[in-house]
């Protein structure tokens, strides 16, 4: 069974940092692109970042580029998101997602989400 | 960025009804479109990809159609467990963008 388990969320002050992790199991991790999608409280879904299977290519939305870094450790089946210079508007549930292929953009598995709250 | 616009924003229907949700892209995305269902308090679930391909395990009462800029999600006979919010998402080019969502009430 494919499973994604996020960790690392919490309360942080504006300007602070947080590192999210996602432990993957049940599939050949290095074969699939992975990403992060967030959802602000009571709002819709927003793509944050994606990384290809071997980690050679990454994409970010404009609002996080230069502050967030996505990475993966294929030897440990782990996806990470380093978030620096956090802003109040980064407050959201962050979902780890698995692409259905090498980078189709279709996410066929989602974690349960981890809540990031940026507040003073 | 490609803008995705869904309509209606909310819909109330009865069990057994046929429900249709539409999604319009701000530019041609050919068939690079997915539909997701999100139940309250849960993560989204992929229903349909490539505009009309049913994801494995999804009931056949769900169907998708369209290409270019205009797309449709249809539930042929609404069931109580179908309540939730439905999102379209374009996968033509990053940043992949979602519609604002359609809240379905039974």
């Amino acid at each position: 069974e494919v499973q994604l388990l996020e960790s690392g969320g919490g309360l942080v002050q504006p300007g602070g940092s947080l590192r999210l992790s996602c432990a993957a199991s049940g599939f050949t991790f290095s074969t699939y692109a992975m990403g992060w999608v967030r959802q602000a409280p009571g709002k819709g879904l927003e793509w944050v970042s994606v990384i290809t299977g071997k980690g050679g290519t990454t994409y970010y939305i404009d609002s996080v580029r230069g502050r967030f870094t996505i990475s993966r450790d294929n030897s440990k089946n782990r996806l990470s998101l380093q978030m620096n210079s956090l802003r109040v508007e980064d407050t959201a549930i962050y979902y780890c997602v698995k692409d259905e292929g090498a980078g189709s953009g279709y996410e066929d598995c989602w974690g349960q989400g981890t809540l990031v709250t940026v507040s003073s | 960025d490609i803008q995705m616009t869904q309509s209606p924003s909310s819909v109330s229907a009865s069990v057994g009804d046929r429900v249709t949700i539409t999604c319009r892209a701000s530019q041609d995305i050919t068939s690079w479109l997915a539909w997701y269902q999100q139940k309250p308090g849960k993560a989204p679930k992929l229903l349909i990809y490539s505009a009309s391909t049913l994801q494995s395990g999804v009931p056949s009462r769900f169907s998708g159609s369209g290409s270019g800029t205009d797309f449709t999600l249809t539930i042929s006979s609404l069931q109580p467990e179908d309540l939730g919010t439905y999102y379209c998402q374009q996968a033509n080019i990053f940043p992949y963008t979602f519609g604002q969502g359609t809240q379905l009430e039974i």
Side-chain angles (χ1 to χ4, degrees):
Chain A
E1 180 189 3
V2 175
Q3 286 193 329
L4 301 173
L5 186 60
E6 303 98 335
S7 60
L11 175 63
V12 61
Q13 292 188 339
S17 297
L18 216 53
R19 186 177 182 88
L20 305 183
S21 291
C22 173
S25 61
F27 62 102
T28 306
F29 185 68
S30 61
T31 301
Y32 296 91
M34 300 288 295
W36 294 92
V37 174
R38 68 185 179 184
Q39 186 170 36
K43 301 297 184 181
L45 300 167
E46 181 181 45
W47 264 97
V48 175
S49 182
V50 64
I51 186 168
T52 52
K54 294 187 177 180
T57 302
T58 58
Y59 297 97
Y60 301 91
I61 56 172
D62 287 346
S63 61
V64 309
R65 189 176 295 113
R67 300 188 297 123
F68 290 11
T69 302
I70 191 171
S71 61
R72 64 191 297 160
D73 185 337
N74 288 345
S75 68
K76 296 181 179 178
N77 290 357
R78 186 169 293 271
L79 177 74
S80 298
L81 184 69
Q82 177 67 41
M83 303 186 295
N84 298 330
S85 302
L86 281 161
R87 304 168 180 169
V88 171
E89 55 265 34
D90 294 320
T91 295
I93 296 172
Y94 284 72
Y95 294 102
C96 171
V97 296
K98 169 190 167 292
D99 195 273
E100 63 86 34
S104 66
Y106 304 130
E107 311 315 307
D108 64 358
C109 185
W110 297 58
Q112 86 288 351
T114 187
L115 178 62
V116 172
T117 303
V118 185
S119 175
S120 56
Chain B
D1 297 358
I2 298 175
Q3 306 300 316
M4 306 299 291
T5 304
Q6 287 181 234
S7 63
S9 296
S10 65
V11 58
S12 181
S14 300
V15 173
D17 283 354
R18 182 183 183 89
V19 175
T20 299
I21 299 170
T22 63
C23 179
R24 174 164 288 180
S26 62
Q27 65 187 70
D28 187 347
I29 58 171
T30 60
S31 295
W32 287 99
L33 185 101
W35 289 96
Y36 297 86
Q37 174 196 61
Q38 185 175 32
K39 296 186 177 182
K42 300 294 187 181
K45 170 188 172 183
L46 178 64
L47 297 177
I48 288 168
Y49 61 94
S50 297
S52 60
T53 303
L54 201 64
Q55 172 69 355
S56 176
V58 174
S60 59
R61 63 180 180 273
F62 291 92
S63 64
S65 64
S67 66
T69 61
D70 293 310
F71 302 87
T72 300
L73 172 70
T74 299
I75 308 173
S76 60
S77 179
L78 194 64
Q79 299 301 302
E81 60 267 29
D82 297 335
L83 79 90
T85 302
Y86 291 79
Y87 294 92
C88 62
Q89 177 225 316
Q90 66 83 15
N92 184 59
I93 187 169
F94 197 84
Y96 307 134
T97 42
F98 293 90
Q100 80 278 16
T102 295
Q103 191 168 358
L104 175 57
E105 299 175 351
I106 311 294

